[in-house]
Structure formats: C-alpha cells, structure tokens
Amino acid sequence: MDVEGVIRSRPVKKDSWKTVLTLAYQSLGVVYGDLSTSPLYVYKSAFAEDIHHSESNEEIYGVLSFVFWTLTLVPLLKYVFIVLRADDNGEGGTFALYSLLCRHARLSSLPNCQLADEELSEYTKDGIESDRGNIGWKLKSTLEKYRVLQRLLLVLALIGTCMVIGDGVLTPAISVFSAVSGLELSMSKEHHRYVEVPVACIILVVLFALQHYGTHRVGFLFAPVVIMWLLCISAIGLYNIFHWNPDVYQALSPYYMYKFLKKTQRGGWMSLGGILLCITGSEAMFADLGHFSQLSIKIAFTCMVYPSLILAYMGQAAYLSRHHNIETHYRIGFYVSVPEKIRWPVLAIAILAAVVGSQAIITGTFSIIKQCSALGCFPRVKIVHTSSKIHGQIYIPEINWTLMLLCLAVTMGFRDTKRMGNAAGLAVITVMLVTTCLMSLVIILCWHRSAFLAICFIFFFGSIEALYFSASLIKFREGAWVPVALSFIFLLVMYVWHYGTLKKYEFDVQNKVSINWLLSLGPSLGIVRVKGIGLIHTELVSGIPAIFSHFVTNLPAFHQVVVFLCVKSVPVPHVRPDERFLVGRVGPKEYRLYRCIARYGYRDIQKDDNEFEKDLLCSIAEFVRSGRPALVVGSEDMENDENMTVVGTSSSNLEGIRMCEDDDNFANRVGTSELREIKSPERVRKRVRFVVPESPQIDMDARRELRELTEAREAGMAFIMGHSYVRAKKGSSLMKKIVINLGYDFLRRNFREPTSAFSIPYATTLEVGMVYHV
C-alpha cells in the first residue's frame, strides 16, 4: 500500500536532486537548530540526580546507550520513517494530524462545513463508508456519534499545542543559558554566576527584539551556522574518541541500559528526564514539513544531523570515562570535553547555534498560534507577514513579548540547567505523546490499516515515551511544574475562547432570519436603497444574520448592493486561489443581495485589503456573468451548496472578469481589440469598470446588473460588522456563567477586535451592537 499516496490529494511533483539537496541544506538552519544544540546540556542534566560515574564507567556507558537508542528509535524510526508520511498535503504538525482526522470523520470544531468544501483539491478522504464492517468505519461512527469524544480529541490536540507554546518559552532559555555556561571554565564558580544570567538575558532580549524584522534578512546565515556547529561537535567527538577511549563504541549495546538502571535504580530512572533532552526539537521535523519536503528532511537528518549527534555524545562519554576526578556534576558538561585551545571559538559558535535554534522554535510558536486562531481556538491576534516572498514567516507582537517576558522569568528564576531541563523535558515528551496518540488514529482512519498495526505503534512508541514522561513528571516540584502551569493557562484561554465562539455561532444559527421575512419586504427591503455596497461580515454560511434585520429595523436606509461575507477556515492547509470563493444569491435577482464565502486553509494568508475587495467584487461579477439561476423562492434552506458557484480570485481566472480602477494604466496593459468594457456613467467621482471576455455573450439583465455593481463600487463600500455582547442566558449553570460572562468577555475585550485583526479601515466601518444570550 502506498501510504504517501493515501494522504496526498494533488499530483506529487518530483523534485530534481538539486532541488532536494538545496532544501535539505536549508532545513538544517530551520529544522535542526534546536536538536543540534542538545549536546550542550544532556549529560549535565542526566548527572544532576546524584549519580556519580565510577571507575567501571557503567553510569556513563549507560547514559550513552540510552541517548543512542533514544535518538535511533524516536527521531529516526518514529519521525523520519513513519510520522513524516502522515502529512496533510505537504504540511505537518499537531494540527495537520487533527485536520486529517476532521476530514475523515466529522470532527470539525465549528459546524460550518459544507458539501462544497469536500470538493476542494486538497480535501481528500477515502471511502471508509463503503466497508461498514471494518474497524475504521466503526471508529469513525463512534467518534461522530459521541460529542464527548470529539471534545476529548480537541482537548488532546490543544494540549499538544499548548506544550509547543511552552517549549517556545523553555527552549530559548535553556539553549542560550547552556551555550553561555561555557564561561564557567574561564572564571571562578562564584564569579560566573553573576555573569552567566545577565549575558543570557541580554541575548534573549536582543533575540526577541529582532523578531519583527523577520528571519528572511538573516535566514541565509542559519544553515551555515548549524553546519559549522555540527562539523565542530563531530570533529571534537572524533578527537575525544580516538584520544581518550576508542572502545566507547561498546556502550551502544542496549545491555548497558539494563546495567545502568540496575545499578542506579531510582536515581537512574529520574535521570531519564535529563537524557530525554537529547531529542528536544525532534517534533520540528514534522511541524516544519510544509516549508520543505519529506525527502529533504530525511536526507538532512540521516546524513548530517544523526551521525554528528552520535559522534558528539560518544566523544563526551569517551572524555568523561577517563576523567573520574571531576569534582561535581557542576563541571560535567559539554565544554569540559572541548580542548582548551579551541574553547573560545566553540563558545562563540555554540551561542550562534543556540540563537538559531531558539529562532526556529519562536517562529514555530507563531505559526501554531496562527493555526489555532484560524480554527477558532485562540483569540484574535495581529499577524504580521515579515516576508512577501517566503511563505509562513510571520510575527505576532503580543505573543512575542509574552514569550520574552516568560523566557526572562524562567532564566532569572531557575539560573541552572537542571530545573530548566526538567521543565523542557516534560514539554517535549508531552507533545510526542500527543503525536503518538493522534498518529494511531490516523493509521486507522486515514491510512485504513488494521487496528493491530495502530495498537503496535502506540504500544511500542507510547511505552518509550511514557517511561520518559513518568521520569519527567516525578520532578514536578523541581521545575517540571512550569510547562504544566503554562499549558494550563493557555489551554484554559483556548478552550474558553473556543467554547464562547461555538456558543455564539449556535446563537447565530438559531436566530438567523427566515427567507419569508426577507420576501415580505420586497425588492427595496421596505427601506430606501442608497448607492454603495454594504459588506456585512457574518460567520454564517447560510441564512440571513440577525444583525441585518437589527439594522434595517432601526435605520430607514441601506445600500443598493448587499453582500453577506463569510470568511471561514476549512480543515486543509491551503485553498487554491481558483477555489477561493463560493458565491450565490440571497433572494430573487432584483434584490441585489449576494452571499460570498471566502475559504482559507489553516496555513493560508488572510488579508482584507484592496486586493481582497477587488477579488470579492470580481467573483460576484463573474457569478453574474455566468448566468447562475436565482434560488427557488420560498425555499427555507436558501443557501444550499448546489445553489452556489465556485469562483476563483481575479489573478487565478485570467479568462474571467477583471476590474480596473485606473483607465490610463489599464489601457496600456490590456488590448482593447480582445475585450469589451462595461462602463459606468461619467458623472461618478471614481471610475470603476469590469473588463469581460468577448465570448460568451452576456444578456441584457446581466449587463444591467454589472452596471449597477460598478456604480455601487464607485459610490463606496461600507463594512458592517456585528459588535456582540455575549452573556449566559437565564437558568445557566454557575460554571457556564463564569466561562461566558467573565472568561470569554474578558478575552473578547482584551484581544483584537475583528476590524483590527482583518485590517478593515475604520473610516468605512459600521458596527451593529447586539446582545447574545447563549
């Protein structure tokens, strides 16, 4: 069975070897910065639990054996050979797995899915329904039947997401602090304590302060820095192996793991929390898959990263196996095994590598918060795209400064790698456990493999990760409480926001206006229709929102053209531009009421600027030109998927209608012999015209409708938005009142409003206030 072919919905374009190797080179700087700096602190954290290596070297050999097999089984076997195959149209990460499950079983966080969404190019799901006797169909039916299971699955995905955010706080702190710890060998123990923390804090402040510039300005340096670091630790590792202990390779035998645990017992088990740090950053291979390719990430890890790390850890073990007179665990670290002559250059390279690794996890945190916000699981935040050429490079000011303050608090509060390591280890292993659980469901629901294979997967890798999880959790009071506390806060914020958003959407659905009410108003809606376009933002994909009736009931005029705009996210990473819009009519043709649903993937860039307005109007004009029949009068469900037309953006539909607002420039770009123009009268202030193809011919009604559309656009566009005040209805439980009246209301007031989140101009925005009793 072709596992990759099961998930992909578009033809796999075979890259040339030159392209693959270039991507592999670039991935070293983006994906592996965190993983490659783990030798800085693994041994120091592992021997922090009162474990002293003896003359027999059983302790150091045992730690090396654990490191080797952990690196082999988790990043290499689990991620490189299995998890990377579970991509969502080339995208990876916790939300990619959750998105796959949402498509193969109806588990969407908001009930705004439409049949037309399943016809998207990247929306692929195979026919589990055809075989009702298999385990996949039974599992799918069970998940769709019980709402509590859907909520548990959402909470599981959110826990993984929250731990990634926690990792975004802890990884920069421990990476930079461990890199700076090389100063301890050049000064006394008393002095370096007063230098180490301030230097680490200064580097962290500079790192976060530069985030708004984006990584594209210095991104070309990332891969060379990581490559230089990997070559450096490989060379040092080889030197230590041949110079101190060429027989250290014997420790690769799993027998030494047994001897280690047998001799150290509880102390050895607790030290697994430090050994766990050797796989910090492994999840980035899957999370950053969308920027590269499976093959490039596999080549970079197997050919460069994996052998370099193994040589580095073997070299440190070889050095420590011949130096038993080290005073305390305080001096067991990476720099003690570096030859004294090159210690300062290695320190500089290590700090640069730590900054690169920290940069990657910070950018990853921005990306996953954007995904959560797109799917209605995180409050609205301002998303700044720092690069117009490189997809996915974003900056979120609120999150950036929050991460910086938390990083500084962790660095100044702990001041040692032991507690930082305990905290980071728990965050890392929790994300991996979540991935393992979701992956087992993907094996059954998406890959259609047997339940036995899924059980074997979760049992084998789950057992390994559960062992490390227990060792990390036992250190709850020694630093591991930090990711738990951070995750609890973020999880509470996410779930409260999601719950409030869901209840608000359900209120909109229950209180939408019926078609009969609209028809009773007549073509003029019972009021004066003034020139212009009224763009009503709504979350409804069908029906007339309550804010519209609220508006026309209290004001005597409305615009001559009304567009009900719904900007929604679908459970795919990207929506192609030629599939962006769903356009249809609301009511008869003479009402001039349209519905437009703009669909975005969870990794797409959403912009409400002039280009979006042009695309929106061109999509409506193209719908009018296509001669789509009006909806059936009296139909209660007036916005079925089959009554709407899929229309792409103007840039993707070169043969369709295009809009021009500048006559002189447009005449130079378009040959008038090939196109026929529909112009508005000369009396308007701003000239707008639609340029339509020569064929097919347009009937007079469509020409009249297009002329009205151009006149309305020239008169101006107003954005009507609902300003909701959400309150728990009478008779609600105390918990619901706390969540809605206090929690959701607090988040709504203190995070971004829709106008700022969507970049809507304030001068043309009108908010209609409504109280939602949910």
Side-chain angles (χ1 to χ4, degrees), residues 21 44 91 119 204 235 242 352 464 625 749 756:
L21 293 178
K44 192 169 185 178
E91 298 290 340
E119 298 176 2
L204 288 172
F242 288 106
L352 288 175
I464 297 172
R625 184 183 74 89
R749 286 188 288 105
S756 59

Side-chain angles (χ1 to χ4, degrees), residues 468-480:
Y468 282 116
F469 181 78
S470 63
S472 299
L473 196 60
I474 200 68
K475 301 174 184 177
F476 184 84
R477 299 178 62 183
E478 299 177 24

Side-chain angles (χ1 to χ4, degrees), residues 34-49 60 62-68 70-71 174 178 181 270-280 309 312-313 316 320 329 332-335 417-418 421-422 468 475:
D34 186 13
L35 185 62
S36 63
T37 54
S38 56
L40 288 170
Y41 43 79
V42 168
Y43 279 102
K44 192 169 185 178
S45 299
F47 282 97
E49 301 297 335
I60 193 65
V63 171
L64 176 59
S65 184
F66 266 106
V67 168
F68 171 77
T70 304
L71 277 171
I174 189 173
S178 299
S181 66
M270 294 182 66
S271 70
L272 293 179
I275 297 171
L276 163 67
L277 298 176
C278 70
I279 53 176
T280 301
L309 291 175
Y313 287 117
Q316 288 186 59
L320 295 174
H329 70 273
I332 297 179
F334 170 77
Y335 292 102
T417 55
K418 176 183 176 181
N422 294 340
Y468 282 116
K475 301 174 184 177

Side-chain angles (χ1 to χ4, degrees), residues 358-483:
S358 302
Q359 173 66 50
I361 193 67
I362 293 169
T363 305
T365 304
F366 292 158
S367 179
I368 200 165
I369 286 179
K370 175 185 177 295
Q371 294 176 39
C372 293
S373 181
L375 296 177
C377 295
F378 199 85
R380 299 182 189 93
V381 289
K382 182 180 181 181
I383 297 175
V384 180
H385 296 272
T386 58
S387 174
S388 59
K389 298 180 180 179
I390 304 175
H391 171 74
Q393 290 194 0
I394 60 175
Y395 167 70
I396 304 178
E398 302 97 318
I399 303 301
N400 182 66
W401 302 122
T402 301
L403 291 179
M404 187 192 76
L405 294 175
L406 292 173
C407 261
L408 295 176
V410 168
T411 304
M412 292 185 289
F414 285 161
R415 298 191 297 276
D416 67 83
T417 55
K418 176 183 176 181
R419 286 182 290 179
M420 288 184 193
N422 294 340
L426 184 61
V428 168
I429 200 62
T430 304
V431 176
M432 291 183 175
L433 272 171
V434 170
T435 299
T436 300
C437 295
L438 294 178
M439 190 66 202
S440 62
L441 293 176
V442 168
I443 290 174
I444 298 177
L445 292 176
C446 307
W447 290 358
H448 308 163
R449 304 301 292 267
S450 66
F452 176 76
L453 187 63
I455 292 172
C456 289
F457 178 86
I458 195 172
F459 178 78
F460 181 74
F461 293 107
S463 299
I464 297 172
E465 290 159 0
L467 178 65
Y468 282 116
F469 181 78
S470 63
S472 299
L473 196 60
I474 200 68
K475 301 174 184 177
F476 184 84
R477 299 178 62 183
E478 299 177 24
W481 60 270
V482 172

Side-chain angles (χ1 to χ4, degrees), residues 256-274:
Y256 283 93
M257 291 192 290
Y258 167 75
K259 292 182 68 175
F260 173 77
L261 292 177
K262 183 179 179 181
K263 183 174 182 179
T264 57
Q265 296 181 358
R266 177 180 170 82
W269 171 59
M270 294 182 66
S271 70
L272 293 179

